[in-house]
Amino acid sequence: MNTAGLWLPYLLSLPIFIIGGVSFFNLLKPRKVNLLRIYLVAFTLHFALLPLYGFTAESLLGHWEYFEDEIWAAYLSLYVFLGGILILLFIFDRFPKKFRKNWTIPQLLEQQYRDIPLGKAMGYFLLVIGFLLGFNIYFGFVSYASSTLERNLAVPYPIVIAKSLIGILVFGLIGYGAMHLVRGKKYLYLGLILLLSNNFLNLYSRRTYLLALIILILFKLLMDRFRIPLRQILVVGGMGIFILQVFFPFLFVFRQLTIENPDDKKAKESLTQTYEISQGTRGQELSKGIEANEAYRANQIARNIEFMRFPLREGRYMNGLIFGYQLSAVVPRALNPAKLDARKALAPEAIILLFYGRKGFDLADNLPLYGFLEFGYTGAFLAGILQAFFLIIFEWFAFRFQRIHPFLGLSILMYAIYNHLNLEYPYQQELSLVRDMIIFFFIAYPIAVVRNLLFRTGKGKPPATVPAS
């Protein structure tokens, strides 16, 4: 095989940039805003912009190990995946969306912000974060890597369900915090507290800070059409500099110092050594230095290539094995007793590496890769169709929950957006989101019906809903 030139990823990224650019400018038209287009913009950042940084850095560091056939195959799988999404987007645009009641997503966000007073939002914050912090402390979910399947299975199942559903409300707090920073005239620090709600639960998660900033910037661009006041530039810029220069290095160290291992030991090195370890941890099979590792981890395509080499060289595909295991992992333990014994065998990388008989190293969870490993390019196309179908379902749920209560609608909408800004996730995440929303709906809808009946008889307060326009 011929060694690829650095120009090749730049050339093959152009179609993705074109799709992402068209999607972004369509987001500036209120009627065109939907979760599919938001996803396409995130896809462009994740699979076009960041990989080019990674490829360039690896080339400059002298760690270029890619062949033309592999890069062509990786990008082709992305094109096929996007083809599935674009087909459903085309159909979705042309069908009437009765569930929206003639409302757009930007109008929905404005309505949610107006219907929820700041004081009530802070009350939700105290209740939601208080319960979840209490859960983490009581059941021991307090350090990095503690949210293991084994520990989750040790928690009484009804409490697990309650924690999962209440966790959805955290995203409503994040969304309200973003809206308050965009639209609020005072008390900006309260909006910032709400925006970073998830960080009170996951202090070690550097990704959460970055995603919160992306959400804020996305809202600002969409709501103000690039007319950004100086105050907002200073707030967002100050947050960005502080996070990049202070929190990211600290959180890398915190992550390594608190990580759990089978022997229940902690890292004993100095802070400097711990920081170096945290920057260089990656599969020994690939044997790259710290700088090359950082470039590699920012490059989703390079990480996909490492795993796509298995079927490309062996001609064996997994034929739905990944999806089957991920689906079984979502089935409640009461209906799937084998889940109690499966433990880490349900992890995608464990399944893939066992199937191909390889040693363990870093996997980038993403649906285009899973689809290709299971059925080749046909699988990548089907994965795109599945991803688009999930996004349509999430948007439907957001508008349905809005009719029950504006905070629930905001939570579901932000739940979907937040979880799709970072594209490194397995089938299990999408299936879990749908499962949780279905459970939440069957709990919230009867309560809303009872509230409406009480209101009609003159008792209680009317539920906050979006007018039918």
Side-chain angles (χ1 to χ4, degrees):
M1 291 188 291
N2 296 325
T3 301
L6 181 58
W7 59 270
L8 187 58
Y10 279 84
L11 175 64
L12 296 179
S13 294
L14 284 178
I16 301 176
F17 276 116
I18 292 171
I19 293 172
V22 172
S23 300
F24 178 77
F25 284 107
N26 275 324
L27 287 175
L28 301 178
K29 306 170 185 176
R31 292 287 170 189
K32 295 282 189 178
V33 177
N34 57 43
L35 294 184
L36 287 165
R37 288 193 170 89
I38 294 173
Y39 176 87
L40 289 173
V41 173
F43 189 95
T44 302
L45 297 173
H46 210 67
F47 283 101
L49 184 62
L50 287 178
L52 292 183
Y53 155 76
F55 279 129
T56 303
E58 286 199 81
S59 177
L60 294 175
L61 291 167
H63 293 281
W64 187 261
E65 303 168 355
Y66 305 104
F67 299 101
E68 289 184 2
D69 291 349
E70 294 173 340
I71 291 182
W72 272 103
Y75 276 95
L76 182 56
S77 68
L78 298 180
Y79 299 157
V80 173
F81 178 83
L82 286 174
I85 293 177
L86 292 174
I87 287 175
L88 254 68
L89 175 59
F90 178 82
I91 297 172
F92 184 64
D93 274 346
R94 277 149 185 79
F95 271 81
K97 303 166 189 61
K98 295 181 180 180
F99 64 86
R100 284 191 173 188
K101 299 293 183 182
N102 295 322
W103 280 74
T104 65
I105 287 180
Q107 288 174 328
L108 189 68
L109 290 170
E110 290 278 9
Q111 184 72 21
Q112 290 162 341
Y113 181 66
R114 288 196 297 266
D115 285 350
I116 305 171
L118 177 61
K120 184 175 288 187
M122 294 305 299
Y124 294 153
F125 171 84
L126 294 175
L127 291 174
V128 171
I129 301 300
F131 172 83
L132 294 175
L133 277 177
F135 177 94
N136 288 346
I137 294 170
Y138 184 81
F139 291 104
F141 293 85
V142 292
S143 62
Y144 182 75
S146 64
S147 294
T148 58
L149 178 61
E150 293 90 336
R151 187 165 297 178
N152 268 308
L153 293 175
V155 179
Y157 194 64
I159 300 179
V160 173
I161 295 296
K163 184 245 184 182
S164 180
L165 297 181
I166 292 175
I168 296 175
L169 302 180
V170 174
F171 298 95
L173 299 174
I174 294 171
Y176 190 91
M179 289 294 297
H180 183 72
L181 289 176
V182 170
R183 288 288 185 248
K185 303 299 182 184
K186 58 182 180 178
Y187 304 124
L188 285 178
Y189 66 91
L190 294 179
L192 181 60
I193 290 173
L194 292 169
L195 180 69
L196 299 178
S197 295
N198 206 34
N199 300 112
F200 292 95
L201 308 172
N202 302 302
L203 293 174
Y204 51 79
S205 177
R206 61 189 175 89
R207 180 178 297 157
T208 307
Y209 286 93
L210 184 59
L211 293 183
L213 281 176
I214 292 174
I215 291 172
L216 176 58
I217 293 169
L218 177 65
F219 280 165
K220 193 61 186 172
L221 291 173
L222 292 179
M223 306 300 287
D224 282 1
R225 304 290 185 87
F226 297 103
R227 297 189 297 272
I228 305 177
L230 177 61
R231 178 190 63 184
Q232 299 299 336
I233 295 176
L234 294 176
V235 170
V236 176
M239 288 168 55
I241 294 172
F242 185 66
I243 289 166
L244 290 172
Q245 298 300 321
V246 178
F247 269 102
F248 275 16
F250 166 75
L251 292 171
F252 271 123
V253 175
F254 183 86
R255 174 174 175 167
Q256 187 65 26
L257 287 174
T258 61
I259 195 167
E260 297 179 2
N261 59 45
D263 297 325
D264 201 28
K265 297 176 182 177
K266 305 298 180 185
K268 303 297 183 182
E269 294 83 358
S270 68
L271 289 179
T272 302
Q273 291 173 322
T274 302
Y275 179 69
E276 291 174 353
I277 291 173
S278 68
Q279 293 292 290
T281 51
R282 131 159 227 226
Q284 295 180 357
E285 184 170 319
L286 301 180
S287 302
K288 293 184 179 181
I290 294 175
E291 295 85 358
N293 171 57
E294 291 176 350
Y296 167 84
R297 290 191 61 84
N299 191 344
Q300 193 84 323
I301 295 175
R303 298 167 76 184
N304 280 6
I305 286 174
E306 297 291 346
F307 280 82
M308 290 176 65
R309 284 171 176 166
F310 301 158
L312 287 174
R313 294 177 181 178
E314 298 182 16
R316 291 192 302 139
Y317 294 93
M318 299 183 69
N319 298 321
L321 191 61
I322 302 174
F323 184 81
Y325 270 98
Q326 294 283 286
L327 182 61
S328 68
V330 177
V331 177
R333 70 178 80 161
L335 303 176
N336 182 22
K339 182 177 180 179
L340 296 171
D341 299 321
R343 301 184 185 275
K344 292 184 179 180
L346 292 173
E349 59 267 25
I351 301 167
I352 297 168
L353 294 167
L354 181 64
F355 182 86
Y356 288 106
R358 295 292 195 278
K359 296 179 181 179
F361 60 94
D362 190 43
L363 167 71
D365 292 300
N366 62 89
L367 302 195
L369 174 63
Y370 289 162
F372 183 84
L373 291 177
E374 297 203 288
F375 301 106
Y377 294 112
T378 301
F381 179 77
L382 293 175
I385 293 285
L386 185 64
Q387 176 67 88
F389 182 66
F390 278 134
L391 292 167
I392 293 171
I393 289 176
F394 298 148
E395 185 168 323
W396 182 87
F397 267 113
F399 280 87
R400 292 298 300 177
F401 273 97
Q402 173 67 26
R403 298 172 66 183
I404 298 174
H405 193 279
F407 187 67
L408 293 183
L410 179 61
S411 297
I412 296 300
L413 182 62
M414 292 306 305
Y415 191 45
I417 293 175
Y418 193 97
N419 282 286
H420 290 90
L421 288 177
N422 172 47
L423 274 63
E424 190 172 339
Y425 54 78
Y427 290 122
Q428 185 175 346
Q429 174 175 309
E430 296 290 70
L431 294 168
S432 297
L433 296 182
V434 174
R435 178 198 62 193
D436 291 346
M437 284 190 289
I438 291 174
I439 296 173
F440 210 170
F441 183 78
F442 279 107
I443 293 174
Y445 184 74
I447 295 175
V449 171
V450 172
R451 289 182 66 202
N452 284 332
L453 290 175
L454 290 175
F455 173 62
R456 288 173 185 172
T457 58
K459 300 177 182 179
K461 297 180 180 180
T465 58
V466 174
S469 184

